[in-house]
Amino acid sequence: MNSRKFLKSSTFLILIVFMISAVLVSGCAEQEPEETTVTEITFGYQPSTHQVAYLMAKDKGWWAEDLGPLGIETIDDKVFPTGAPEMQAMLSGEIDVAYVGAAPVISALASGLDAKIVAAVQTQGSDVVLRTELPYESPEDLKGLKIATFPPGTIQDTLLRNWLAENNVDPDADVTIVPMGPGDAMTAISANQVDAVFLPHPAPTLIEEEGVGRSVVSSGEVQEDHACCVVAVSGELIRENPEVVQQIVETHTRSTEYVSENTDEAAQVFADDQDWDIEVVKASISDWDGSWVSDPSLVVNSTVDYAQVQYELGYISTELEEDDIFDLSFYEAQDQ
């Protein structure tokens, strides 16, 4: 082989080796996960004692104290009247973590929300409140009445409709169900614009204290030990910053235990946040049938039941199972 041919062959081989190396390097670079650092977390919550564990952790400074070492520099929150607009905010990326009813999470998941429930917040804790002058012995006494409750897809709406149907009361034909937030519903029953409300505490106690209505059915009677509020976290946060989610669950668990053991302090924290009369809040916590919990396994069955009820009501077009709704790993990791 002459020198010119040898030079061309060598050059050609070098080019091939260079190209292969470039492809390999490029491939390796593409396979390496892109590091993402979250510095800001936004919570969503509602004006109910159901979610006072969030407020307690905020009041104690535990969110900042526990999440700061993980790089979280800013912690914001937004208040929502009910779960429906809260889930819309989560769908649009406005909030990362939601203290919210389990049922609205189901509706949002069926609409494409990328999130999972990682902890429970509480069970039961809502009442059917009837105007004082109206008689009540059974659910059939509600026929012909106008009842205000949270919008379709929420815990209260889902429970109420299912309970009425199970007791020979057609929720569409026999009663008029009016979707309202808690403030509007309390105003409506006080103004005699509705005959009854189905609301979470402390609203039922305030209505009773004002002499407008009386609680006739607690939500534990509607469905015993039913799930109410939960902690839902965005899928992006779960995948990209699992250590932050782990700490959120641990701080929530700590706060829940503290609230359960210090109810007067919890009442004061809620009253200060929402400008409520402290005595009304204390009375509500004394009267309600709810319990603050953090273990998500306690609410799995009833939450999956909600998904089936919503499917049967036509609220969602997809049947959801436990794995579609929950990620129990973060709570379970606390015991390891």
Side-chain angles (χ1 to χ4, degrees):
M1 180 182 295
N2 61 38
S3 59
R4 182 174 296 179
K5 288 184 177 180
F6 178 79
L7 182 59
K8 286 183 178 180
S9 298
S10 299
T11 303
F12 181 69
L13 287 173
I14 291 171
L15 286 172
I16 289 175
V17 171
F18 177 78
M19 290 172 66
I20 292 173
S21 299
V23 169
L24 290 173
V25 170
S26 175
C28 291
E30 288 176 0
Q31 291 174 7
E32 290 182 5
E34 182 179 346
E35 292 186 7
T36 58
T37 302
V38 61
T39 60
E40 181 175 345
I41 296 288
T42 302
F43 288 84
Y45 74 101
Q46 296 167 43
S48 167
T49 48
H50 288 197
Q51 301 175 11
V52 73
Y54 168 72
L55 293 175
M56 182 64 76
K58 177 183 176 181
D59 185 72
K60 293 287 187 182
W62 292 338
W63 293 122
E65 175 185 303
D66 294 348
L67 296 176
L70 299 176
I72 305 301
E73 301 170 359
T74 305
I75 299 172
D76 296 320
D77 59 38
K78 296 183 178 183
V79 187
F80 299 88
T82 67
E86 186 172 1
M87 287 296 91
Q88 286 300 314
M90 199 169 202
L91 276 162
S92 65
E94 294 176 37
I95 59 175
D96 308 291
V97 184
Y99 276 70
V100 64
V105 178
I106 291 166
S107 300
L109 289 173
S111 297
L113 175 66
D114 176 18
K116 289 290 176 69
I117 294 173
V118 297
V121 173
Q122 49 77 233
T123 59
Q124 305 186 157
S126 298
D127 287 2
V128 176
V129 184
L130 189 65
R131 284 193 58 81
T132 306
E133 69 274 13
L134 297 176
Y136 183 84
E137 292 185 1
S138 73
E140 291 196 358
D141 291 326
L142 299 176
K143 287 184 176 181
L145 301 186
K146 185 180 290 187
I147 307 170
T149 194
F150 285 4
T154 59
I155 288 286
Q156 286 71 26
D157 176 80
T158 302
L159 282 174
L160 179 63
R161 288 177 180 275
N162 192 55
W163 174 69
L164 289 172
E166 289 178 344
N167 286 275
N168 302 313
V169 181
D170 188 321
D172 295 313
D174 293 334
V175 297
T176 301
I177 297 178
V178 185
M180 291 186 182
D184 290 340
M186 287 188 286
T187 299
I189 193 171
S190 297
N192 204 19
Q193 295 171 346
V194 298
D195 305 298
V197 298
F198 184 39
L199 297 174
H201 275 265
T205 300
L206 179 59
I207 295 169
E208 287 189 319
E209 291 283 333
E210 293 179 343
V212 174
R214 70 191 189 284
S215 293
V216 294
V217 180
S218 63
S219 62
E221 298 174 77
V222 172
Q223 183 177 324
E224 186 176 4
D225 296 327
H226 70 82
C228 197
C229 294
V230 295
V231 178
V233 177
S234 75
E236 182 179 358
L237 195 62
I238 289 173
R239 291 186 297 273
E240 297 183 1
N241 299 93
E243 73 287 352
V244 172
V245 179
Q246 184 66 56
Q247 187 57 64
I248 287 171
V249 171
E250 292 181 9
T251 302
H252 167 68
T253 300
R254 172 190 182 188
S255 185
T256 299
E257 292 171 353
Y258 188 88
V259 164
S260 298
E261 296 169 0
N262 299 273
T263 56
D264 282 353
E265 185 177 349
Q268 188 65 64
V269 166
F270 175 83
D272 290 345
D273 184 75
Q274 292 297 314
D275 195 25
W276 275 65
D277 184 319
I278 182 60
E279 296 306 321
V280 172
V281 181
K282 285 182 178 180
S284 171
I285 290 174
S286 176
D287 293 344
W288 80 328
D289 72 340
S291 297
W292 292 294
V293 298
S294 55
D295 184 352
S297 69
L298 298 175
V299 301
V300 166
N301 289 341
S302 57
T303 300
V304 174
D305 287 345
Y306 293 156
Q308 185 60 36
V309 170
Q310 289 197 19
Y311 179 74
E312 292 171 357
L313 288 170
Y315 287 177
I316 61 176
S317 58
T318 304
E319 293 185 89
L320 300 178
E321 303 296 337
E322 177 182 337
D323 290 344
D324 301 316
I325 304 169
F326 288 90
D327 185 338
L328 308 181
S329 65
F330 295 99
Y331 186 85
E332 291 170 348
Q334 295 180 113
D335 300 326
Q336 297 177 2

